[in-house]
C-alpha cells in the first residue's frame, strides 16, 4: 500500500469522524430541546433535515472512500454502488438546499415590519414544511440518472466507456448528454448559492442599519463589539465558507462528469471538497445559532429598556 493511499485514507477517516460527531452533537442538542419540552422554532425543522442530509453525504461518501484508500477492493456490489452514489449525491444536494432555505427564511424573519417583505414574513411559516419536502423531492429526481450510470468495480477494462471511481465504475455516455446532465445537476446548486448570497447580504444590510439606529444605546467606550457586529461577522464567515466549498465542489463535479477518464487525484479531491461542507457546517451553524440567539436577546433587552424609559417619562 502506497504512502499516498494511507494519507488519503486518513484524511477521509478524519473528515468522516469529525463531521459525524459534529452533526450528531447538533442532533442531540435538538433532541434534548424536544425532550425537555422547549419550544422548537420553525427554522429548527430545516436544521434537522440538514443534519440528516449531512450525515447521509458524509457516511455514504466517506466510509467507502476510506475503505478503498486502505486497499480494500471490490467490496461493493452493483446495487451497493448505485445506492451509495445516489444517496451521497442526494445528501449533498439537500444539504445545500436546506442551508439556502435557512438563509432565506432567516433573512425574511429579521426584516423590519415596514419592509417589502412584511407580507412574506407572515406567510413564510406556512411554507416551511412544504419547502423542505420539495427540496428532498427535487434532488431525489435530479440525481436519479446516477442509478443508471453507476455499476460495480469491473475486473477488466476492455470496455472503453467505463470511468474508474476506484471502488465503483461509471458509464461514460455521449459527451452532449454528459454536458446536459452536468448542467442539470449544477443549476440547482448555482441557484441556491445565488439565493444564499442575496439572503446573507440582506441580513448584513439589515443588521448594519439596525446598528446605526441603535448607536446611542451601545456605550461608545465599551471594548467589546456590539451584538450586531458579531452577528454580521458570523454571517460573512458562513457565506464565504458555503460559497467557497460549493464553488469548488461544482467545479470538481462538472469535471468528473464531463472528462472521459478523470485522473484519480481529481476524483479524490472532488470527494474531499464535497465532504468538507457537511463536516464543517454543523460547527458553523452552532456558532451562528448561538450568535443569533444572543442578538435576539439583545434586541429584546433594548426594546424593554426603551419601553420602560418611555413609561417612566409618562
Amino acid at each position: 500500500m502506497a504512502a499516498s493511499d494511507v494519507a488519503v485514507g486518513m484524511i477521509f477517516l478524519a473528515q468522516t469522524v469529525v463531521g459525524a460527531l459534529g452533526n450528531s452533537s447538533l442532533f442531540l442538542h435538538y433532541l434534548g430541546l424536544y425532550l425537555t419540552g422547549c419550544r422548537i422554532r420553525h427554522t429548527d425543522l430545516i436544521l434537522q433535515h440538514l443534519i440528516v442530509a449531512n450525515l447521509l453525504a458524509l457516511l455514504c461518501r466517506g466510509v467507502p472512500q476510506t475503505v478503498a484508500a486502505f486497499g480494500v477492493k471490490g467490496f461493493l456490489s452493483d446495487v451497493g454502488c448505485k445506492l451509495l452514489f445516489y444517496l451521497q449525491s442526494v445528501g449533498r444536494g439537500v444539504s445545500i438546499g436546506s442551508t439556502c432555505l435557512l438563509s432565506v427564511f432567516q433573512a425574511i424573519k429579521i426584516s423590519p415590519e415596514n419592509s417589502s417583505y412584511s407580507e412574506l414574513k407572515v406567510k413564510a411559516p406556512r411554507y416551511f414544511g412544504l419547502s423542505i419536502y420539495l427540496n428532498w423531492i427535487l434532488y431525489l429526481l435530479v440525481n436519479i440518472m446516477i442509478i443508471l450510470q453507476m455499476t460495480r468495480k469491473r475486473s477488466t477494462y476492455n470496455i472503453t466507456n467505463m470511468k474508474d471511481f476506484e471502488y465503483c465504475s461509471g458509464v461514460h455516455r455521449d459527451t452532449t448528454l454528459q454536458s446536459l446532465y452536468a448542467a442539470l445537476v449544477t443549476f440547482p446548486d448555482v441557484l441556491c448559492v445565488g439565493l444564499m448570497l442575496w439572503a446573507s447580504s440582506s441580513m448584513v444590510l439589515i443588521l448594519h442599519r439596525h446598528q446605526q439606529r441603535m448607536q446611542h444605546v451601545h456605550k461608545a467606550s465599551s471594548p467589546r463589539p456590539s451584538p450586531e457586529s458579531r452577528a454580521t461577522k458570523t454571517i460573512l464567515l458562513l457565506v464565504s465558507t458555503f460559497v467557497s466549498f460549493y464553488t469548488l465542489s461544482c467545479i470538481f463535479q462538472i469535471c468528473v462528469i464531463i472528462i472521459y477518464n478523470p485522473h484519480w487525484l481529481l476524483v479524490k479531491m472532488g470527494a474531499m471538497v464535497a465532504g468538507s461542507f457537511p463536516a464543517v457546517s454543523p460547527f458553523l451553524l452552532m456558532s451562528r445559532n448561538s450568535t443569533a440567539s444572543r442578538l435576539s436577546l439583545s434586541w429584546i433587552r433594548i426594546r424593554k429598556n426603551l419601553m420602560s424609559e418611555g413609561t417612566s417619562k409618562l
Side-chain angles (χ1 to χ4, degrees):
M1 186 186 303
S4 59
D5 292 332
V6 176
V8 169
M10 293 302 296
I11 292 173
F12 277 116
L13 180 62
Q15 187 183 68
T16 305
V17 171
V18 170
L21 288 175
N23 284 281
S24 299
S25 299
L26 201 58
F27 173 77
L28 291 175
H29 166 70
Y30 286 108
L31 181 62
L33 291 178
Y34 175 77
L35 293 176
T36 53
C38 294
R39 183 175 178 272
I40 304 298
R41 297 170 299 178
H42 290 290
T43 50
D44 292 337
L45 180 61
I46 299 179
L47 289 175
Q48 292 166 13
H49 284 263
L50 177 61
I51 295 169
V52 175
N54 283 345
L55 288 172
L56 199 64
L58 272 172
L59 297 178
C60 291
R61 186 186 303 272
V63 172
Q65 287 284 358
T66 303
V67 173
F70 283 111
V72 181
K73 306 295 181 182
F75 57 91
L76 286 174
S77 64
D78 189 64
V79 175
C81 284
K82 293 178 184 296
L83 188 61
L84 278 181
F85 271 81
Y86 179 66
L87 290 178
Q88 67 182 238
S89 299
V90 171
R92 174 190 176 278
V94 173
S95 179
I96 186 174
S98 299
T99 307
C100 174
L101 288 174
L102 181 66
S103 299
V104 171
F105 280 123
Q106 285 189 339
I108 295 173
K109 182 180 179 181
I110 69 170
S111 62
E113 297 293 342
N114 58 350
S115 68
S116 57
Y117 305 115
S118 56
E119 188 175 350
L120 283 175
K121 196 171 183 178
V122 177
K123 295 182 178 180
R126 307 174 191 172
Y127 302 104
F128 268 82
L130 178 62
S131 300
I132 293 170
Y133 293 116
L134 285 177
N135 184 37
W136 279 98
I137 292 172
L138 170 65
Y139 284 102
L140 284 169
L141 294 176
V142 166
N143 291 286
I144 201 165
M145 190 175 178
I146 293 177
I147 297 177
L148 304 176
Q149 289 184 325
M150 301 310 302
T151 183
R152 64 182 176 83
K153 180 76 171 181
R154 302 295 182 181
S155 56
T156 60
Y157 287 95
N158 294 328
I159 305 175
T160 57
N161 64 338
M162 299 300 292
K163 288 185 178 182
D164 182 16
F165 291 102
E166 191 171 5
Y167 57 92
C168 288
S169 300
V171 179
H172 184 88
R173 303 185 184 278
D174 180 75
T175 305
T176 304
L177 291 176
Q178 293 294 110
S179 301
L180 290 174
Y181 175 62
L184 177 64
V185 171
T186 307
F187 177 74
D189 291 357
V190 174
L191 180 62
C192 285
V193 170
L195 288 173
M196 200 183 305
L197 285 171
W198 165 80
S200 299
S201 301
S202 299
M203 285 189 281
V204 170
L205 183 61
I206 291 169
L207 292 173
H208 177 68
R209 289 176 177 174
H210 176 79
Q211 184 181 18
Q212 287 183 327
R213 288 195 301 268
M214 304 303 295
Q215 277 182 348
H216 66 281
V217 178
H218 302 297
K219 295 180 180 179
S221 59
S222 176
R224 294 185 60 188
S226 65
E228 292 85 357
S229 298
R230 294 196 297 271
T232 301
K233 291 177 181 178
T234 303
I235 292 171
L236 290 174
L237 175 62
L238 283 166
V239 173
S240 60
T241 304
F242 291 157
V243 174
S244 298
F245 278 140
Y246 270 96
T247 300
L248 288 174
S249 180
C250 287
I251 292 173
F252 280 114
Q253 187 179 41
I254 292 172
C255 291
V256 170
I257 291 175
I258 293 178
I259 295 176
Y260 176 73
N261 191 18
H263 192 271
W264 69 270
L265 183 60
L266 180 66
V267 176
K268 293 293 185 184
M269 288 297 295
M272 288 180 189
V273 172
S276 296
F277 173 72
V280 173
S281 63
F283 303 102
L284 296 176
L285 288 167
M286 283 188 280
S287 172
R288 180 182 188 178
N289 190 46
S290 175
T291 305
S293 299
R294 290 196 300 268
L295 179 60
S296 299
L297 291 174
S298 174
W299 285 0
I300 292 171
R301 285 196 296 268
I302 291 170
R303 289 170 182 169
K304 285 183 177 179
N305 291 335
L306 291 175
M307 290 176 65
S308 61
E309 289 176 5
T311 305
S312 61
K313 288 180 181 180
L314 293 175

